[in-house]
Amino acid sequence: MSPKNPNIRKIALLTGGGDCPGLNSAIRAVVQSCILEYGIQVVGIPDGFKGLLENKFVPLDLINTTGIFSKGGTILGSSNVDTPFAVPVTKNGQRVYEDRSDEVIEHLKEERIDAMIVVGGDGTQAIAHGMAKKGLKVIGIPKTIDNDLNGTELTIGFFTAVTTAVEALDKLHTTAESHHRVMVVEVMGRNAGWIALFAGLGGDSDVILIPEIPFELDKVAAHLNDLYHSRKRYSIVVVAEGAKAVGGDVHISRIIEDSPEKIRLGGIGNVVASQLEAITGRETRAIVLGHLLRGGSPVGFDRVLASRFGAAATKALVEEKFDTMVAYKGDNVELVPLETGAGKNRYIIPNSPFLQAARQRGIHFGDT
């Protein structure tokens, strides 16, 4: 089948940033749309922008992408520490960073790549937008379990992560009830609390602590004590890794110097559990779900969302609507400028209907 647009004969596909369920669904959807609908050849770039820096390409077709739709992670591999705009090298015994973006564009030209689809979160889309400004024909597909990418209401991987968290909370209810404990569950969400909010709603938690609302533990403890005295002998507290106390700061677990995102968060769950136990005098345990939220087979909604995004991104390429990102808005998939999601987050706002629903159910956020 000859391509429907002679200017787009061969494209490259890349998955960047942290992995998540639904990436393989997006890969499969792009490959199928390109080959079956538009007659476009597809190659994959292994390990995100690291593979592009290393000039690596692998062919993708209907056969070698068969059976991956339900598989978690990404068959292409990914990297959240590599960017062609700041490649770490050692010169004269010192670590410096080189801009090799022109070099990777040459790699694409040598491979006769006409355009590229990049699947990733805010960091990946920021790199893609930077490449677009240098002349690369690129379309973005939004993915992140955190669901915090600006410009789209939903991202690939989010609902699977929420489902995993809710299933964990369901199990914790029974053991917490048996021992009359307070269980503090830390979930991912460094800048925005979408996972914590949705998991807390779906998992029937008593308290949700998110980055958007600084908390006071005395108020949380008072709420838990009120529940205890009303004969609810156990409690579930969900806390996003980026949550912080009023006047406090985020809890840093480590710093990775060569990463575009150097600061890694973690440990707030243990801090909250320890302090709540001291204030309430009740036995409290902390659980960190961490990378468990990134794993597993994507739920049906993420597979459908990946299908819609993959088809829309391919259509945008054929129509030469470059430097854009596909976005989910009000049950529609639209195109927004790529810079909309480039390094920018979407936060939970005070009048969010999900936040209001949680408050109406009596779920506490440590602020009242």
Side-chain angles (χ1 to χ4, degrees):
M1 178 180 179
S2 60
K4 294 187 177 180
N5 183 338
N7 295 323
I8 309 295
R9 297 174 178 272
K10 183 179 181 181
I11 72 160
L13 176 62
L14 174 154
T15 54
D19 71 301
C20 74
L23 286 174
N24 284 324
S25 304
I27 293 170
R28 175 71 168 165
V30 168
V31 170
Q32 288 178 308
S33 297
C34 282
I35 295 175
L36 298 176
E37 181 69 16
Y38 300 108
I40 298 172
Q41 182 182 352
V42 185
V43 297
I45 300 171
D47 303 325
F49 287 102
K50 180 176 185 288
L52 192 54
L53 284 163
E54 296 174 349
N55 200 19
K56 293 181 178 179
F57 299 93
V58 294
L60 294 176
D61 55 41
L62 298 177
I63 302 303
N64 65 14
T65 58
T66 296
I68 69 170
F69 211 71
S70 61
K71 186 178 180 180
T74 165
I75 62 168
L76 288 176
S78 192
S79 170
N80 58 3
V81 298
D82 294 283
T83 167
F85 292 102
V87 181
V89 296
T90 301
K91 289 185 176 181
N92 300 322
Q94 292 187 334
R95 180 60 61 95
V96 296
Y97 295 88
E98 293 183 345
D99 183 346
R100 291 173 54 187
S101 55
D102 289 336
E103 180 182 329
V104 299
I105 287 179
E106 285 303 312
H107 292 166
L108 292 167
K109 290 180 179 177
E110 290 168 3
E111 192 66 20
R112 297 188 177 181
I113 303 297
D114 298 311
M116 190 162 76
I117 291 178
V118 172
V119 190
D122 62 319
T124 301
Q125 303 303 338
I127 296 171
H129 179 54
M131 300 289 284
K133 289 193 288 187
K134 298 180 78 72
L136 181 65
K137 298 174 180 178
V138 61
I139 304 289
I141 292 179
K143 72 86 200 164
T144 169
I145 64 169
D146 294 329
N147 201 43
D148 64 351
L149 183 59
N150 189 54
T152 181
E153 294 173 8
L154 294 175
T155 57
I156 296 171
F158 172 61
F159 273 107
T160 304
V162 169
T163 300
T164 298
V166 168
E167 289 173 350
L169 290 173
D170 287 347
K171 291 176 170 60
L172 290 171
H173 272 277
T174 59
T175 182
E177 184 177 16
S178 297
H179 292 274
H180 312 305
R181 287 174 176 158
V182 176
M183 305 295 282
V184 178
V185 184
E186 180 182 319
V187 299
M188 287 187 172
R190 57 179 292 118
N191 299 314
W194 292 105
I195 295 177
L197 178 57
F198 273 59
L201 274 168
D204 196 21
S205 68
D206 302 296
V207 175
I208 301 173
L209 304 179
I210 58 177
E212 293 89 341
I213 304 176
F215 60 84
E216 295 182 55
L217 275 182
D218 285 341
K219 293 181 178 179
V220 175
H223 177 66
L224 297 182
N225 282 335
D226 287 343
L227 292 175
Y228 185 82
H229 293 306
S230 67
R231 298 173 64 184
K232 188 176 188 297
R233 299 301 191 217
Y234 76 96
S235 293
I236 303 292
V237 177
V238 178
V239 54
E241 63 183 348
K244 57 187 177 182
V246 173
D249 207 343
V250 294
H251 196 276
I252 299 173
S253 64
R254 59 181 176 145
I255 296 176
I256 303 176
E257 291 297 338
D258 288 339
S259 173
E261 198 170 77
K262 294 179 173 59
I263 296 176
R264 301 299 168 88
L265 304 184
I268 185 63
N270 285 304
V271 172
V272 168
S274 176
Q275 293 182 9
L276 282 178
E277 184 170 89
I279 298 172
T280 64
R282 294 170 57 198
E283 189 177 10
T284 306
R285 295 286 186 270
I287 301 93
V288 181
L289 296 186
H291 285 77
L292 183 69
L293 299 174
R294 292 194 182 279
S297 179
V299 297
F301 186 86
D302 273 327
R303 302 183 197 191
V304 173
L305 186 64
S307 294
R308 295 185 67 183
F309 279 168
T314 305
K315 185 173 184 288
L317 280 182
V318 172
E319 295 177 351
E320 301 192 25
K321 296 177 179 178
F322 306 120
D323 198 18
T324 60
M325 180 182 77
V326 296
Y328 187 93
K329 293 186 175 183
D331 203 34
N332 295 313
V333 174
E334 305 173 359
L335 291 178
V336 298
L338 191 52
E339 64 180 345
T340 305
K344 301 171 185 175
N345 293 122
R346 185 177 71 95
Y347 303 100
I348 299 170
I349 57 177
N351 64 348
S352 163
F354 302 103
L355 187 62
Q356 291 177 350
R359 290 193 186 278
Q360 289 172 10
R361 286 182 50 196
I363 298 175
H364 203 273
F365 288 84
D367 62 333
T368 58

